Amino acid sequence: MRAILYDYWRSSAAYRLRIALGLAGIEFESRQVDLLSGEHKGEQYLDHNPQGLVPTLYLDGRKFSQSLAAIEFMNDTGLAKFLPEDPSERARVRTISYAVAMEIHPVCNLSVSLRAAKLANRDDADVEWMRHFMSVGFDGVERLLRSFETRHYCHGDSPTMADICLLPQVYNARRRGVPVRRYKQIASIAARLQRLDAFAEAHPDNFKPGADND
């Protein structure tokens, strides 16, 4: 099985899918969509993703325009195991995943932070905005991870959808100057994840323009 991923190297949602595909052992072709030039809003790309968002994944004859939907599809069809079988454990993994992907990420999206800077009439307000909301979000995630269920990764001793969501957000936080080391659970989990092949190979530096990612 081979997939096509409409990708942007620094997109955390695209980063999630690169990790998930790697964990599932699915080869994929990365087709870069330049967010900075507005390529994602062009008519040609809107045919792939009506929301004008990155990523878009073509997998097994299906199209996915939301990263978590694609990850859950891979889990539900047996392509990979990203969620526990037990309903209460599954709910916990989803809670951590959603805390990152639906609480931190949307508020710290580039388009949102740039809009905040424009309204504030300050060029540096976008970074200040991101630092604030990433820190607030990580405060909550850190508390969620203070549980006997956390162990080596966000839930248990193997990576789940929660870990797939967490590491890209840690990458973004470090880029924006958030002191991730002060979050002991998050920092220790991120350090373990970075040593796993699927997580390391999905790193944005491997997909930035000019990188050899074939």
PDB file of all heavy atoms in Angstrom, residues 47-59:
ATOM      1  N   ASP A  47      -9.697  21.572  -4.789  1.00  0.00           N
ATOM      2  CA  ASP A  47     -10.285  20.335  -5.313  1.00  0.00           C
ATOM      3  C   ASP A  47      -9.904  19.144  -4.430  1.00  0.00           C
ATOM      4  O   ASP A  47     -10.656  18.172  -4.330  1.00  0.00           O
ATOM      5  CB  ASP A  47      -9.807  20.081  -6.748  1.00  0.00           C
ATOM      6  CG  ASP A  47     -10.446  21.029  -7.746  1.00  0.00           C
ATOM      7  OD1 ASP A  47     -11.505  21.621  -7.421  1.00  0.00           O
ATOM      8  OD2 ASP A  47      -9.896  21.177  -8.853  1.00  0.00           O
ATOM      9  N   HIS A  48      -8.732  19.227  -3.803  1.00  0.00           N
ATOM     10  CA  HIS A  48      -8.299  18.158  -2.904  1.00  0.00           C
ATOM     11  C   HIS A  48      -8.892  18.344  -1.506  1.00  0.00           C
ATOM     12  O   HIS A  48      -9.335  17.386  -0.878  1.00  0.00           O
ATOM     13  CB  HIS A  48      -6.768  18.132  -2.794  1.00  0.00           C
ATOM     14  CG  HIS A  48      -6.064  17.809  -4.065  1.00  0.00           C
ATOM     15  ND1 HIS A  48      -6.150  16.572  -4.668  1.00  0.00           N
ATOM     16  CD2 HIS A  48      -5.269  18.578  -4.865  1.00  0.00           C
ATOM     17  CE1 HIS A  48      -5.428  16.581  -5.784  1.00  0.00           C
ATOM     18  NE2 HIS A  48      -4.889  17.771  -5.923  1.00  0.00           N
ATOM     19  N   ASN A  49      -8.886  19.565  -1.023  1.00  0.00           N
ATOM     20  CA  ASN A  49      -9.333  19.846   0.339  1.00  0.00           C
ATOM     21  C   ASN A  49     -10.249  21.068   0.324  1.00  0.00           C
ATOM     22  O   ASN A  49      -9.770  22.198   0.245  1.00  0.00           O
ATOM     23  CB  ASN A  49      -8.123  20.081   1.262  1.00  0.00           C
ATOM     24  CG  ASN A  49      -8.497  20.116   2.717  1.00  0.00           C
ATOM     25  OD1 ASN A  49      -9.464  20.748   3.109  1.00  0.00           O
ATOM     26  ND2 ASN A  49      -7.709  19.437   3.544  1.00  0.00           N
ATOM     27  N   PRO A  50     -11.555  20.870   0.382  1.00  0.00           N
ATOM     28  CA  PRO A  50     -12.497  21.986   0.271  1.00  0.00           C
ATOM     29  C   PRO A  50     -12.321  23.061   1.344  1.00  0.00           C
ATOM     30  O   PRO A  50     -12.722  24.212   1.134  1.00  0.00           O
ATOM     31  CB  PRO A  50     -13.863  21.308   0.407  1.00  0.00           C
ATOM     32  CG  PRO A  50     -13.631  19.898  -0.019  1.00  0.00           C
ATOM     33  CD  PRO A  50     -12.249  19.571   0.446  1.00  0.00           C
ATOM     34  N   GLN A  51     -11.721  22.692   2.477  1.00  0.00           N
ATOM     35  CA  GLN A  51     -11.491  23.684   3.528  1.00  0.00           C
ATOM     36  C   GLN A  51     -10.237  24.518   3.271  1.00  0.00           C
ATOM     37  O   GLN A  51      -9.993  25.498   3.984  1.00  0.00           O
ATOM     38  CB  GLN A  51     -11.342  22.992   4.888  1.00  0.00           C
ATOM     39  CG  GLN A  51     -12.630  22.372   5.412  1.00  0.00           C
ATOM     40  CD  GLN A  51     -12.390  21.699   6.748  1.00  0.00           C
ATOM     41  OE1 GLN A  51     -11.929  20.560   6.817  1.00  0.00           O
ATOM     42  NE2 GLN A  51     -12.684  22.405   7.824  1.00  0.00           N
ATOM     43  N   GLY A  52      -9.451  24.122   2.303  1.00  0.00           N
ATOM     44  CA  GLY A  52      -8.203  24.836   2.054  1.00  0.00           C
ATOM     45  C   GLY A  52      -7.188  24.637   3.164  1.00  0.00           C
ATOM     46  O   GLY A  52      -6.448  25.551   3.515  1.00  0.00           O
ATOM     47  N   LEU A  53      -7.151  23.425   3.716  1.00  0.00           N
ATOM     48  CA  LEU A  53      -6.252  23.111   4.825  1.00  0.00           C
ATOM     49  C   LEU A  53      -5.247  22.040   4.414  1.00  0.00           C
ATOM     50  O   LEU A  53      -5.485  21.270   3.491  1.00  0.00           O
ATOM     51  CB  LEU A  53      -7.053  22.608   6.033  1.00  0.00           C
ATOM     52  CG  LEU A  53      -8.102  23.555   6.614  1.00  0.00           C
ATOM     53  CD1 LEU A  53      -8.906  22.856   7.691  1.00  0.00           C
ATOM     54  CD2 LEU A  53      -7.442  24.822   7.162  1.00  0.00           C
ATOM     55  N   VAL A  54      -4.148  21.990   5.131  1.00  0.00           N
ATOM     56  CA  VAL A  54      -3.156  20.927   5.009  1.00  0.00           C
ATOM     57  C   VAL A  54      -3.200  20.144   6.316  1.00  0.00           C
ATOM     58  O   VAL A  54      -3.300  20.743   7.394  1.00  0.00           O
ATOM     59  CB  VAL A  54      -1.758  21.534   4.767  1.00  0.00           C
ATOM     60  CG1 VAL A  54      -0.673  20.489   4.907  1.00  0.00           C
ATOM     61  CG2 VAL A  54      -1.689  22.206   3.402  1.00  0.00           C
ATOM     62  N   PRO A  55      -3.129  18.821   6.231  1.00  0.00           N
ATOM     63  CA  PRO A  55      -2.852  17.974   5.076  1.00  0.00           C
ATOM     64  C   PRO A  55      -4.125  17.455   4.407  1.00  0.00           C
ATOM     65  O   PRO A  55      -5.225  17.582   4.940  1.00  0.00           O
ATOM     66  CB  PRO A  55      -2.101  16.803   5.704  1.00  0.00           C
ATOM     67  CG  PRO A  55      -2.781  16.650   7.048  1.00  0.00           C
ATOM     68  CD  PRO A  55      -3.095  18.044   7.502  1.00  0.00           C
ATOM     69  N   THR A  56      -3.904  16.829   3.264  1.00  0.00           N
ATOM     70  CA  THR A  56      -4.884  15.949   2.631  1.00  0.00           C
ATOM     71  C   THR A  56      -4.174  14.629   2.360  1.00  0.00           C
ATOM     72  O   THR A  56      -3.050  14.630   1.857  1.00  0.00           O
ATOM     73  CB  THR A  56      -5.404  16.539   1.312  1.00  0.00           C
ATOM     74  OG1 THR A  56      -6.008  17.808   1.564  1.00  0.00           O
ATOM     75  CG2 THR A  56      -6.422  15.604   0.664  1.00  0.00           C
ATOM     76  N   LEU A  57      -4.835  13.542   2.716  1.00  0.00           N
ATOM     77  CA  LEU A  57      -4.238  12.224   2.535  1.00  0.00           C
ATOM     78  C   LEU A  57      -5.109  11.377   1.630  1.00  0.00           C
ATOM     79  O   LEU A  57      -6.323  11.274   1.839  1.00  0.00           O
ATOM     80  CB  LEU A  57      -4.089  11.520   3.890  1.00  0.00           C
ATOM     81  CG  LEU A  57      -3.580  10.075   3.862  1.00  0.00           C
ATOM     82  CD1 LEU A  57      -2.129  10.012   3.382  1.00  0.00           C
ATOM     83  CD2 LEU A  57      -3.730   9.419   5.233  1.00  0.00           C
ATOM     84  N   TYR A  58      -4.475  10.776   0.622  1.00  0.00           N
ATOM     85  CA  TYR A  58      -5.126   9.759  -0.206  1.00  0.00           C
ATOM     86  C   TYR A  58      -4.573   8.409   0.222  1.00  0.00           C
ATOM     87  O   TYR A  58      -3.366   8.163   0.148  1.00  0.00           O
ATOM     88  CB  TYR A  58      -4.852  10.010  -1.689  1.00  0.00           C
ATOM     89  CG  TYR A  58      -5.610  11.192  -2.249  1.00  0.00           C
ATOM     90  CD1 TYR A  58      -5.072  12.477  -2.214  1.00  0.00           C
ATOM     91  CD2 TYR A  58      -6.879  11.020  -2.808  1.00  0.00           C
ATOM     92  CE1 TYR A  58      -5.771  13.560  -2.731  1.00  0.00           C
ATOM     93  CE2 TYR A  58      -7.584  12.104  -3.327  1.00  0.00           C
ATOM     94  CZ  TYR A  58      -7.020  13.363  -3.281  1.00  0.00           C
ATOM     95  OH  TYR A  58      -7.721  14.438  -3.787  1.00  0.00           O
ATOM     96  N   LEU A  59      -5.466   7.541   0.695  1.00  0.00           N
ATOM     97  CA  LEU A  59      -5.055   6.259   1.244  1.00  0.00           C
ATOM     98  C   LEU A  59      -6.119   5.214   0.967  1.00  0.00           C
ATOM     99  O   LEU A  59      -7.308   5.452   1.254  1.00  0.00           O
ATOM    100  CB  LEU A  59      -4.844   6.389   2.760  1.00  0.00           C
ATOM    101  CG  LEU A  59      -4.531   5.115   3.544  1.00  0.00           C
ATOM    102  CD1 LEU A  59      -3.164   4.558   3.139  1.00  0.00           C
ATOM    103  CD2 LEU A  59      -4.567   5.381   5.039  1.00  0.00           C
TER     104      LEU A  59
END
